[in-house]
Structure formats: structure tokens, C-alpha cells
Amino acid sequence: MILQTATALTQPDVAADTVGHSDFPLSCQWFAAHQWQPFPFQLQVWQAVTHGQSGMLHATTGAGKTYAVWMAAIERFALKKTGKSDPEKAPKSARRKAITQPLTVLWITPMRALAADTERALIAPVEALNLDWSIGLRTGDTNSAERSRQSKRLPTALITTPESLTLLLTRQDAAETFDSLKMVVVDEWHELIGNKRGVQLQLALARLRRWQPQLITWGLSATLGNLQHAMDVLIPNASNALLVQGKLAKNLIIDTLLPPGIERFPWAGHLGLRMLPQVVEEIESSPNSLIFTNTRSQCEIWYQALLEARPDWAGLIALHHGSLDRNVREWVENGLKEGTLKAVVCTSSLDLGVDFLPVERVLQIGSPKGVARLMQRAGRSGHAPGRASRLTVVPTHSLELIESVAAQDAIAARNVEPRESPQKPLDVLVQHLVTIALGGGFSADDLLAEVRSCYAYRQLTDDEWHWALAFVRHGGESLTAYPDYRRAIPDEHGVWHVPDAHLARRHRMSVGTIVSDASMLVKFWAKGASGKSLGSVEENFIARLKPGDHFLFGGRLLELVRVHEMTAFVRKATGKKAAVPRWNGGRLPLSTELANAMVARMDSAAHGHFDGPEMHMIKPLLQVQSDWSALPTNSNLLAECMQSREGWHLFLYPYAGRSVHLGLASLIAWRAGKHQPNTFSIAVNDYGLELLSATPVDWETMFKQDIFSTDHLLIDVIGSLNAGELAQRRFREIARISGLVFAGFPGAHKSARQVQASSSLFFDVFRKYDPNNLLLSQAQQEVLQQELEIDRLSTTLQHLQSKQLQLMHIKRPTPFAFPLLVERFRESSSSEKLADRIARMVADLEKAAGGGAYMPQESVTQQAKFNMQEKVYKKRERVRKTGLPSGVAHSDSSQENTTPRRTRIIPPKPRHGF
DNA sequence: GACCTGCTGCGGTGTG
């Protein structure tokens, strides 16, 4: 059932009109007096909860979701059960109150900071109504005094994280602990549903429901495309559940910061420093701003650039990203909360968890990559009911003008990305088995039914289940000799337990599904001793520096003093020039929703429609594209062929995001190579792909054949890409989650490289001696699903088949082709050659465009030089590492979790019969 | 002196 509610009510009389003032429950009256008039959707939630119904509440950030559910919980469980509040007594802090009411409500948030904020929010009404409820917080930050208090008895409402909940399930007395639980609330469910953390939570909730079949479950979500699925995953038998959409008349304004002129605006590039003066102006004109960047190094660079432009802002602006030390980050968050900071440059680290912050202005530097992300970030401003949220996109190259306007279209049409639950990840299941074996033990049949009640495991086969049991019993076929892998064993009654206290401890220390990268701590070195911690950087970045070298980190210029035990000690440095660390993060491909909106804009441009200032501005560039070649449309697939000194180029623009393009390019190269032996170089970006061959290819004929066929897709993709190597990288995470590899005691600083080495060892051993190990196939599945987006590739292929091919022979690279050329050059083998090449290309382009009209890329040459250096470094590293004992396959940690930017493919020689 | 792609999130032990 879907209920759609009307516009927000800000006038008290309207609210009273709608919900009936006299029917106000006590808790609602409290809200009426202290907070605001309830929105209709809040009352819907209230009605459902007081009738014992589960459901999901979807509304924009800042709409009051937390209070909607909380006041309902109070009404149902505090006021009805324990009688009226007692206004005579002096209120006592609910945080320290003696526990008279047992654990009733469990509140789960994906972040510690959010948990702390939530605690503050929940306490207020409990104290004001003077309920005999106690509120408590349980995360990794909870101190030992509070922990021991909680180990005796949990508070009435416990706020926690998925990981901490799982840890509670490892308690021997878990069943009694949750005996009195009545309701679970999962906050920011959209953040969890699509990943393994969400699966871990699904398993934990199934456990709680076994003990409490009547458990009321509520999910809170924002910015999600597939609400029904999200509810189905959270609540089994969701047909009885209620989906409430709080439709607020929230104004979401997305606009674009236009460059002064399109003529000198780059065709490629990602930093966007060209826009610095305009951005400074925007920051100036507003009391406080958040400036989102897409990567951590970009964040550092922009912070520095802003300071250089406005030295008087020192102390007024700050930066925030995931590699900075927690203290630094908390300082920044507090500065935002208190309004003492004028601007913060950040990454997604501030997407969530900064509720109740007074931010006026949000800027997004570079591509937003997805609709949901942009909405989420826009929601950081005007974070209160009735106030407009505004976000301004700052393009870093010309085509991002279209991306920005496309994002506005997608938001207007509410085309938000869906998120799907992963399908039966066995590493998470294996971890869960040990968790439950610890938490009182299990009998196999009962637990199987419970596990299958989770959406992610609803199709778990008997074979898979027995494999998982065998795996926790003796580590599968190849590890039976090792006692460390006998983690759970059935007793004579068939109840599985963990046989060994040592293994139990190790398991508790490995709970969770987040696997971190290899990194090194950065600390100050003062007077011969270790000082304040600043954060962490990639091992391999530090390895490239020698003592005395300067680098930029956390907004400071630092000098490397020494490296000792996985810590880089630094001191403050002076000067101007420094290296900026590059972290290896995940890659965010352009989402389907945003890409489709872009193609739609391109299509209308091809038909002569240029609506809005962005399209108007980019018109001359699209004119060049269409003069030299053509524009892609909804019905046409644009392909461009070009001959250069390098060979024969094919450019194709499917607009399907970089990971699909990588798979697609490899596939085309592979299939083309079957018809005609050839060697291809590949380059991809979010908009298209390039195939470069040494000999000409008759693409026209080739496209008429089965090159876009979805037949044998899996086989061809696995064959064309080195899927085995990709799977090995994936396996590191699986090995950690499934408990094969122990990351060591906290603070022991076992190198993540060691973890990598041992997981590679397991990978090889399994492949040799236990090829049916299901964790191997899981690794391959994950590569196909997540890194290559095989489903999206398949739909892209179908889509391409239905399109009319428009093959253009071009004389020079078009505005669309140019960024792809640059992408490939970035790893060119000779920087001198590259410098010449770029210069020549720019000159050619300018000539072609009628004199000095286009400047495609800023500082490509220096960039190439740096890459060159890195390449030499990596090569040296590889040589150094060949000293490893044979049999221990090694994979460079800098390469983890990344798909190759460029692959050279040499397809197989045609076999007989072809 | 170089110089610039790739995000985020959690958790845990030891014992006189």
C-alpha cells in the first residue's frame, strides 16, 4: 500500500485541520508545543506504529523522519504501557537514568556520528515528558564504563550500528538480551541496502525476528529510486507493511556556475581550477558553504587553491575527507555546527551525518555522476522543513555543462538511481554462522530457515548451505589440517558452537564487512618523539618520497622526516611546491539515469533545441561536433573513424559509464579480433570509448555482424578481460569477511600488504586444491556484477543493437573524441612525445576552428610527466618484489580495487572453423 | 623541482 501525502504544513491551523487537534496523542502535543506542527506523513506513521504495523518512510532530508517514528514509538510503548508521564518530578537525564524499562526500541544508523546526533534528538522528548525510559548509545566509541553497564542491562532505547548489533549477537546470552525488544528502526536504509553491510543487517534482523516474531520494523530512507524493493528487503512479508512517502514541497534548486566563455574552456580535465575566481566569488557572497569534490586529492588541491586566492580566509575555511584523522574531522564538523567556518571543501565524507547543520550554500565541483548523490548533497543546504535546498554545479570541462542540465532534468522527473540488495554473498553468511555459533549456538535446520527468510538469501540452495557449514567446520577441502579454521562445531545434540576462546576473540575482532586499503599513518614528529596524528595516506605514495621531500596533506605543507612501523613522521614545511597524495579509491561510473538524461539533451540539441543557459552556452561546441561529425541522438549510435600516425581509431559513444565502456571495448576488440587478427589499445571515459589498432578495421561490416550480440556474453567478457586477475583482487575482501585472513590486533599495524599476500596465497591454494570453493566463484561474480556491471553491459548491448549506426569518417579528433585521446595519452610511454603531440593537436584544432578558438586541456604535459614517474616507480617496485618466494602471487596494493584504465588486448588467433 | 582521479562506512584485545 502506498500512501502519498500532501504538501508540508507550516501553518498550525492547517495541521490541526488535517489531523484533528483533539485527537492529538500526548507525544504529538509535546511536539506541537516544542517543535513544530506534525506533517500529515508523520501522523500516518504514528497511526501505523500504534497499530503495530511495520513500514518504510521515505522523505527528503530534514523533513522530520526521526521524530515521526520516535513519537510513534513513545506513544505505543512508553505512554500506553507505563502510564502517563509525571510532570511533578524533576526531569533526569535519560542517558544516566536507572533502567526501569527493558530494551524496547533498537535504532540503527550507518554512522557513529549520526548515532550520537540521534541520541541527542531522542533524549529531548523523553526528558521533557519525563518518561521512565533510558536512552543509550552503543558503537565502537562507547567507553568501557558504559559498556559494562550495558552488559548487565541494555537501555530502553539503544542506538547502534549494524556492526555493533552483530557484536551484541555474539553474546552467549543474546536471546535473553533481546527478549523484550519490540521495535527496530533502521535510519538511512538507502545507504545500507545495496551493500554487504546491509546484508549483515538483514541477517541480524532475521535473528531478532526469530526471538520476536511481532517485531515492528521501520526503515527511513531518502533519495532512492526503488522504494518497494527497499521495503521488501527490510521487511519480510512486506505486503502488510506501509510505505509512506512524505511529499514535502521542498524546493530543490540545481544550477550551474557558468564559465566566462566557452571558447577557452577545456574539453577535458577534471580539476576545474579554471573556475577558481567564480567559486571564490560564490563563497564570498554566502555566510557559509560546502564545496564537494569527487576525490580526496582534488579536495586538497582546491583547499590550497582557495587559500592562495584568499589568504585572509586562513582559519575560516577547512577541508574534510576520509583520510584525515578523526580529531581533525570532528574539529571541522564542530566548526560547521557552530557556524565558525565560512567554507569546507569535502568529499562524500560530508554527504551524511551532518544533520542540523546551518549550511547556506552547496557547490559541486565536477561531475555529480549520479542523480541521488546530487540530491543528497543539495539536501545539505536549507536543512529544515520548508526551506529550499540549493546546489550549484561547477563544471570542470565543457561537456559537464550538459551533465549539469541533465541532472536537473532527471531530478525534475524524479529519475533517481535504484539500489538493489546483493545476492547471497557467502562470505557474509560464513561470518554470520560463526557469530550465531558464538551467540548461544544454532541448530542447522532452524538457522537455514532463518537465513532464507532474508531477502539476500531467499534463493540459497541446500548445496550452498552445506558448503557454508563445512567451511566454518573445517575451512573447506583444503584447510582441514588447520585448527584455526575449525571455527564452529556441532555438539552431540546438533547445536553448533565455537570450540575455542581464542577463535571467539578473533571473530569478535573481525566482525564487519568493510575492508580498508593499505595505508600509512601520518604523524607529526616533534622533539624526537611522535606527536599529533593527521590521518593516513597510501603506503605507496610515501614510499615514493624520501626524507626531506615535501607533500600536501590535510591542508598543510609537510616535510617527511622518517618512516617507521607503518607511520610516516612529518614536520611542518615552508615553501610553495609539494606533491599531493593520490589515494586509490573506488571509481564512480556515471549512472544510467544521468547518462540517459544527457543523451536526451544531446538528442534535442541535434534537433535544434538549446534550452537553458547551459545548453545555450555549449551550443558553439556542439556545433563544432556536428560540423566535423555528428551528434548522438536517441535513435542513432554515433561512431567515428579516424586515421592518425598512431594507427586507426574508432570512437564510440554509448554513454553507459566507464565500467561498461571498459567491458564493451574489450568485448568489441575480442570479437573483432576473431574475424581479423589485430592488436588494440583501449581508452574509456564515462561518455564513450576508443579502440586504436595498428591496421585498419572494416567497422562498417563488423557492426553488421554479431559484434553487439549478447550471446556468450559471459564467456567473451571473461575471455577478453583478464577476469582472473580482477577476481584475485576482489578475493582480498572476501577472505577478510569470511574470516580466512585475520587483519591482526588493533594498533599492531600489520601491513595491509601482508593481508593482501596471504589472501593471494589462499586464492592460489583454493584454485589448485579446492577449485569448487564457492568463495572463488563469489569473487568472480562480484567482479562481473560490480566492477564490470555485466547486467548494465548486457542492456547496453541490446540498446546498441536497436540503434541505427551512424559511422562518420573524421579528419581530426572531435570535441567528443579529444578527451578519449587524452585519456589514453595519460599513460603514454614517452612524455616528450606526448608534449609534442598535444601541442600539435591543439594547434591543429585551433587552426581548424578558425584561429585560437579552442584550448582543449590544461597542463596535460606536466600530468603525463608525473604519470611517467609513477610508472617508473611502480616498475621498480615490481622488480623489487620479485624477490618474493615463488607461489606467493603478489598484487601491487596500488592496483587493488581498480580496473585497468587501459588494456592492451591481443585477441586469440582464429581457430579452425572460424 | 617536479604535480595531480577516482568516495564512503565499522569494529576489536590484553588483566593485577
Side-chain angles (χ1 to χ4, degrees), chain A residues 270-278 301-302 305-306 365 396 858:
Chain A
H270 73 278
L271 278 183
L273 286 175
R274 191 73 69 94
M275 296 293 287
L276 184 64
Q278 288 94 316
I301 290 165
W302 263 90
L306 285 173
I365 314 256
T396 62
E858 40 183 332

Side-chain angles (χ1 to χ4, degrees), chain A residues 111-292:
Chain A
M111 280 174 64
R112 290 179 295 223
L114 198 55
D117 277 349
T118 306
E119 189 197 23
R120 279 189 283 277
L122 300 196
I123 277 177
V126 167
E127 287 180 353
L129 291 168
N130 203 15
L131 304 173
D132 56 356
W133 271 26
S134 54
I135 314 282
L137 194 61
R138 175 73 177 232
T139 68
D141 295 339
T142 306
N143 62 31
S144 55
E146 177 65 13
R147 271 165 195 261
S148 62
R149 213 166 83 110
Q150 287 179 4
S151 65
K152 289 186 199 92
R153 207 167 173 199
L154 289 174
T156 322
L158 182 70
I159 302 148
T160 186
T161 60
E163 287 79 9
S164 286
L165 171 59
T166 301
L167 282 162
L168 288 174
L169 291 180
T170 65
R171 280 159 58 150
Q172 180 66 37
D173 61 349
E176 296 90 80
T177 306
F178 291 102
D179 190 40
S180 54
L181 185 68
K182 296 284 186 289
M183 181 174 181
V184 176
V185 181
V186 182
D187 199 1
E188 311 276 8
W189 172 230
H190 60 283
E191 284 296 318
L192 294 169
I193 182 173
N195 54 44
K196 289 181 182 175
R197 292 184 80 194
V199 174
Q200 183 166 45
L201 185 58
Q202 288 181 42
L203 287 164
L205 291 180
R207 192 74 191 149
L208 297 178
R209 285 193 192 104
R210 154 171 298 268
W211 297 320
Q212 288 299 330
Q214 299 305 315
L215 191 69
I216 302 176
T217 310
W218 275 82
L220 310 182
S221 88
T223 51
L224 188 65
N226 50 346
L227 298 176
Q228 189 62 48
H229 173 75
M231 193 163 88
D232 291 345
V233 175
L234 185 67
I235 306 161
N237 309 318
S239 51
N240 300 323
L242 180 70
L243 180 56
V244 179
Q245 296 196 55
K247 278 206 172 171
L248 289 182
K250 186 155 182 105
N251 276 329
L252 198 58
I253 304 164
I254 309 283
D255 51 16
T256 314
L257 198 60
L258 296 176
I262 195 71
E263 295 78 18
R264 309 293 307 177
F265 202 59
W267 290 5
H270 73 278
L271 278 183
L273 286 175
R274 191 73 69 94
M275 296 293 287
L276 184 64
Q278 288 94 316
V279 170
V280 167
E281 221 169 275
E282 289 299 314
I283 296 173
E284 179 81 278
S285 66
S286 160
N288 47 40
S289 329
L290 277 183
I291 298 127
F292 281 102

